[in-house]
């Protein structure tokens, strides 16, 4: 049988329809479509795709189970390595990780690994599949700070190993960036995130919300007063960055972090009590996934929306799929363009943004060609809302209240590959260590830290 070099398409909402609602854009595979796609897999003897997965899911193994129609078996295999497969299948950058390593991708289109992971995880959620029912407790306690991807993964792995785990979360809902950062149309909260979090709870993990570590409770208190034998810090990177240009304090300028939190966690897109700026014309500054999320959210709230980015389309750091969806929905891209000033009206509200055209020069330290201003090319874009999507850095609260916890010049917690920090028994991972990155990399860090914590406590017990 000849190789099928084209992946099985997945149904989506039509662009004009989805641009007016917050329902999920991609609709997922049917059973037959998933089996058809899985049967493309070559089941390589040396699975490069697994090497490309930060949590080392046994990809060919679960795909072969799907190809055979054994969905239960496929889910059991995924569950060995991933605590959040329904989430990873939706938001992971598979094209640069597992799918980027797929042998078929060298001749045609790689196996749709993310879509298959999503399919089997959704199947398990829809059918209320329960695993890990028999866990023997080992009598040891571990605290996890932050209920985001890193914290949930670390807690889940430790719970499976028999630990009594408590997660302390600052917000009123667990999930971290999964609930406050990623829009409903990419990652449904009630249908997916809450169910995945509940799976972690089903392992025996306790989650205490509205607890701000560094204020309500300190790391030394957890260890010396509460009796936790180790602490994992998975506090993420929620401190937004700004450009420092004139006019940034005008009314109508806000960070993507605040804008998405109000919409996603507080459901400001619904008619209710949570206030949100719904501009007539919105400019989003930045080119990453967060910028795409903010722009597509503004569009759905009825705004004409622009992305302003200082490099070209080829240098956009956002996932190609998200850029494609944004373009389909009507987001306007002003590329090779850099803001230099935000313009205000007499009442202190945004009335526009002054920009300058750029051209690409020599590569900088990131390897991308450096954008250089073109003299005399300034122009204005009329708008009433500006959203800064320029990245985030870790909140300094925990390091500033924890003596002896080392941080680097970017306020990121210093930790080794296993998550070990400068404090005995304290581990860290995810965006709190690396700065803003992907969900799956945070999960990988949580997984490594869980194994290291397990070894640390076993060695300390002798």
């Amino acid at each position: 049988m000849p190789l099928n070099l084209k992946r099985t398409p997945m149904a989506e909402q039509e662009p004009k329809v989805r641009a007016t609602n917050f329902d999920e854009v991609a609709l997922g595979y049917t059973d037959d479509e998933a089996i058809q796609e899985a049967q493309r897999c070559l089941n390589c003897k040396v699975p490069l795709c697994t090497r490309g997965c930060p949590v080392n899911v046994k990809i060919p193994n679960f795909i072969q189970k799907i190809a055979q129609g054994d969905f239960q078996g496929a889910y059991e295999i995924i569950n060995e390595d991933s605590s959040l497969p329904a989430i990873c299948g939706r938001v992971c950058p598979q094209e640069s990780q597992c799918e980027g390593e797929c042998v078929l991708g060298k001749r045609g289109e790689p196996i749709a690994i993310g879509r298959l992971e999503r399919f089997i995880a959704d199947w398990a959620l829809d059918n209320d599949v329960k695993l890990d029912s028999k866990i023997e407790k080992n009598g040891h306690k571990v605290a996890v700070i932050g209920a985001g991807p890193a914290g949930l993964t670390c807690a889940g792995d430790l719970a499976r190993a028999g630990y009594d785990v408590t997660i302390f979360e600052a917000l009123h809902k667990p999930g971290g960036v999964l609930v406050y950062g990623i829009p409903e149309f990419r990652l449904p909260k009630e249908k997916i995130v809450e169910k995945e979090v509940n799976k972690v709870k089903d392992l025996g993990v306790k989650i205490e919300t509205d607890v701000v570590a560094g204020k309500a409770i300190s790391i030394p208190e957890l260890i010396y007063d509460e009796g936790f034998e180790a602490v994992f810090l998975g506090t993420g990177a929620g401190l937004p960055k700004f450009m420092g240009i004139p006019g940034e304090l005008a009314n109508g300028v806000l960070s993507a972090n605040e804008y998405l939190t109000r919409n996603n966690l507080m459901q400001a897109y619904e008619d209710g009590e949570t206030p949100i700026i719904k501009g007539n014309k919105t400019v989003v500054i930045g080119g990453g996934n967060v910028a795409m999320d903010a722009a597509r959210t503004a569009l759905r709230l009825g705004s004409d929306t622009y992305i302003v980015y200082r490099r070209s389309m080829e240098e956009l750091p956002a996932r190609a799929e998200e850029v494609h969806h944004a373009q389909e929905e009507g987001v306007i891209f002003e590329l090779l363009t850099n803001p230099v000033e935000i313009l205000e009206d007499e009442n202190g509200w945004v009335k526009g943004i002054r920009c300058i055209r750029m051209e690409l020069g020599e590569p900088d330290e990131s390897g991308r060609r450096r954008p250089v201003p073109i003299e005399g090319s300034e122009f204005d874009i009329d708008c009433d809302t500006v959203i800064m999507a320029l990245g985030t850095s870790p909140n300094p609260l925990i390091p500033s209240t924890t003596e002896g916890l080392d941080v680097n010049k970017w306020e990121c917690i210093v930790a080794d590959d296993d998550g070990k920090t400068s404090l005995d028994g304290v581990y860290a991972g995810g965006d709190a260590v690396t700065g803003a990155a992907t969900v799956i990399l945070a999960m990988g860090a949580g997984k490594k830290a869980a194994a290291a914590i397990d070894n640390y406590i076993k060695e300390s017990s002798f």
Side-chain angles (χ1 to χ4, degrees), residues 117-371:
E117 181 179 27
R118 167 189 166 151
F119 166 79
I120 209 65
D122 285 1
W123 176 88
L125 292 176
D126 291 342
N127 288 278
D128 197 26
V129 175
K130 301 290 186 185
L131 301 175
D132 306 303
S133 58
K134 297 179 181 178
I135 298 175
E136 292 185 15
K137 293 292 184 181
N138 61 20
H140 297 283
K141 290 173 59 177
V142 177
V144 172
I145 309 298
L152 289 169
T153 300
C154 183
D157 279 15
L158 288 170
R160 288 190 186 93
Y163 289 89
D164 182 355
V165 184
T166 301
I167 300 177
F168 298 93
E169 167 58 42
L171 297 176
H172 63 279
K173 278 191 176 181
V177 69
L178 306 173
V179 293
Y180 73 73
I182 302 174
E184 183 78 9
F185 54 82
R186 282 217 293 137
L187 185 61
K189 306 300 174 272
E190 185 175 342
K191 175 186 172 185
I192 300 300
V193 179
E194 287 185 17
K195 288 184 178 180
E196 291 280 59
V197 170
N198 286 338
K199 281 170 44 189
V200 176
K201 289 182 179 179
D202 288 343
L203 297 171
V205 173
K206 296 179 286 291
I207 301 180
E208 295 189 18
T209 57
D210 300 308
V211 179
V212 180
K215 287 288 186 182
I217 195 165
S218 69
I219 306 306
E221 285 173 341
L222 288 171
I223 295 174
Y224 299 113
D225 298 340
E226 301 295 331
F228 290 100
E229 296 165 74
V231 177
F232 174 74
L233 305 176
T235 47
L239 193 64
K241 298 178 182 178
F242 288 82
M243 293 188 70
I245 59 177
E248 275 190 343
L249 297 181
N251 295 315
V253 179
L254 61 163
S255 70
N257 197 52
E258 177 187 355
Y259 185 71
L260 291 171
T261 298
R262 286 180 179 270
N263 271 283
N264 302 331
L265 181 62
M266 304 171 75
Q267 298 173 328
Y269 58 86
E270 296 181 350
D271 292 332
E273 299 179 358
T274 301
I276 187 72
I277 293 176
K278 298 181 180 180
N280 293 314
K281 193 171 183 180
T282 301
V283 170
V284 178
I285 301 172
N289 289 325
V290 174
M292 301 304 138
D293 287 344
R296 296 173 69 196
T297 296
L299 189 80
R300 283 160 169 76
L301 293 176
S303 178
D304 293 336
T305 307
Y306 289 72
I307 289 276
V308 170
Y309 179 63
R310 61 185 184 149
R311 288 184 166 96
S312 70
M313 185 67 75
E314 287 69 31
E315 284 80 29
L316 274 171
R319 292 186 67 190
E321 182 179 64
E322 303 308 321
V323 175
H324 173 65
H325 282 160
Q327 289 176 311
E328 281 189 327
E329 292 164 6
V331 174
I332 301 166
F333 284 71
E334 283 284 356
L335 303 174
L336 289 169
T337 300
N338 202 41
V340 294
E341 182 181 0
I342 295 169
L343 309 175
E344 305 176 51
D345 65 16
E346 62 276 9
N347 297 313
W349 283 86
V350 172
K351 69 173 185 180
I353 185 165
R354 182 155 295 157
C355 302
I356 189 167
R357 297 291 184 191
M358 313 291 283
E359 59 185 356
L360 294 179
E362 296 300 314
D364 61 15
E365 61 276 3
S366 71
R368 296 180 296 173
R369 294 174 64 191
R370 186 187 302 275

Side-chain angles (χ1 to χ4, degrees), residues 411-428:
E411 298 295 330
C412 295
I413 298 170
V414 176
D416 66 16
D417 287 344
D418 291 328
K420 190 178 188 309
T421 71
S422 54
L423 295 177
D424 190 42
V426 179
Y427 293 75

Side-chain angles (χ1 to χ4, degrees), residues 45-101:
K45 290 183 178 179
V46 180
L48 301 181
C49 53
T50 295
R51 185 181 68 183
C53 174
V55 297
N56 301 121
V57 171
K58 302 172 187 67
I59 293 169
N61 302 45
F62 91 76
I63 289 179
Q64 292 307 306
K65 291 292 185 182
I66 296 176
Q68 297 161 11
D70 182 3
F71 301 156
Q72 171 86 19
Y75 182 65
E76 289 173 358
I77 291 170
I78 293 176
N79 190 68
E80 292 173 6
D81 300 294
S82 177
S83 299
L84 308 170
I87 291 167
C88 292
R90 286 168 164 81
V91 303
C92 282
Q94 292 98 2
E95 65 277 5
S96 61
Q97 295 177 337
C98 54
E99 292 178 10
E101 298 285 348

